[in-house]
Amino acid sequence: NAGVTQTPKFRVLKTGQSMTLLCAQDMNHEYMYWYRQDPGMGLRLIHYSVGEGTTAKGEVPDGYNVSRLKKQNFLLGLESAAPSQTSVYFCASGENWDYTEAFFGQGTRLTVV
Amino acid sequence: SQQGEEDPQALSIQEGENATMNCSYKTSINNLQWYRQNSGRGLVHLILIRSNEREKHSGRLRVTLDTSKKSSSLLITASRAADTASYFCATDAGGGNKLTFGTGTQLKVEL
């Protein structure tokens, strides 16, 4: 049981380049989330999905797009990377927060130069 | 803005001592969760306390929740070097199943 898997684990981009981060979960969870973590800022929610085919904006959605075409996958896209998007990105999945926790991937460390 | 704010930002203690971290939040919640993050790793769930609960225990962990003060505390008893990590509180404010995290407390347990 792999849980939540993120690919890639590390990436360096040049300003203006695009890339897609992939998150895959094998727990049949309805909800999936993308967070970014910056020093001293904790985790901030970028986008989330409450089911296949749905997406919604979180706290810091600008510069990112997402898609949830399959229940097990949640993709985060950067169309034109900027240095301000240098961060560690975490994907999480879960069910109803009333009774269960979030499961996190190991993170993707992205540097935009 | 962050829903939760942890206090202190950093804490250094000796092995065997107790560690207490506090979390304050801004709006009403359905539940509050605590997570641990080891350096360079993802977050791992520790404990969940619902809004109608006041105290919960799990092994060496004790969590309290005071909804009137919008605050929670995490107590780790008899700390070990392996407890060295960052600890985050997270709240579900009840709208859209969003889980919002605080800024974290960095705990260092020295031998």
Side-chain angles (χ1 to χ4, degrees):
Chain A
N1 189 339
V4 179
T5 304
Q6 292 182 232
T7 53
K9 291 184 171 51
F10 302 94
R11 185 74 184 269
V12 178
L13 284 180
K14 293 182 178 179
T15 298
Q17 286 185 321
S18 63
M19 78 164 294
T20 300
L21 282 69
L22 172 62
C23 176
Q25 53 98 0
D26 61 3
M27 295 170 282
N28 202 36
H29 286 161
E30 289 293 336
Y31 306 130
M32 296 187 74
Y33 302 78
W34 276 107
Y35 292 90
R36 60 177 288 173
Q37 184 177 33
D38 302 293
M41 298 291 291
L43 278 80
R44 292 183 291 171
L45 183 63
I46 305 171
H47 285 281
Y48 65 104
S49 169
V50 299
E52 182 178 312
T54 74
T55 62
K57 294 181 179 180
E59 183 184 356
V60 289
D62 294 342
Y64 305 95
N65 57 75
V66 288
S67 65
R68 183 99 181 267
L69 298 179
K70 294 183 178 180
K71 187 177 184 179
Q72 64 268 32
N73 296 336
F74 196 29
L75 280 64
L76 178 70
L78 286 74
E79 291 187 347
S80 180
S84 60
Q85 294 177 304
T86 293
S87 187
V88 181
Y89 292 84
F90 287 99
C91 176
S93 72
E95 290 293 342
N96 189 316
W97 302 132
D98 278 349
Y99 59 86
T100 189
E101 71 270 28
F103 294 82
F104 279 81
Q106 295 286 33
T108 295
R109 185 172 296 274
L110 175 66
T111 302
V112 183
V113 297
Chain B
S1 62
Q2 295 291 327
Q3 165 75 322
E5 298 290 337
E6 282 91 340
D7 172 60
Q9 290 186 343
L11 180 61
S12 183
I13 61 174
Q14 297 293 314
E15 197 171 49
E17 294 180 337
N18 295 341
T20 299
M21 289 157 268
N22 302 297
C23 168
S24 60
Y25 56 91
K26 298 176 183 177
T27 63
S28 61
I29 60 172
N30 290 330
N31 67 62
L32 185 143
Q33 305 180 33
W34 284 91
Y35 288 79
R36 183 186 73 227
Q37 183 182 34
N38 291 92
S39 180
R41 307 297 296 272
L43 279 73
V44 175
H45 180 260
L46 294 176
I47 195 166
L48 179 154
I49 185 166
R50 302 190 206 291
S51 59
N52 61 354
E53 297 176 312
R54 291 297 168 259
E55 187 171 313
K56 203 163 183 179
H57 296 257
S58 177
R60 293 184 295 113
L61 306 180
R62 172 178 167 253
V63 170
T64 63
L65 179 64
D66 186 336
T67 53
S68 66
K69 295 182 179 179
K70 291 187 171 57
S71 67
S72 173
S73 68
L74 171 67
L75 169 67
I76 304 173
T77 61
S79 63
R80 306 165 181 168
D83 294 327
T84 294
S86 292
Y87 292 81
F88 295 87
C89 67
T91 55
D92 161 29
N97 284 89
K98 292 179 288 185
L99 201 59
T100 305
F101 287 81
T103 52
T105 292
Q106 289 188 336
L107 173 65
K108 183 176 182 181
V109 181
E110 300 183 86
L111 295 170

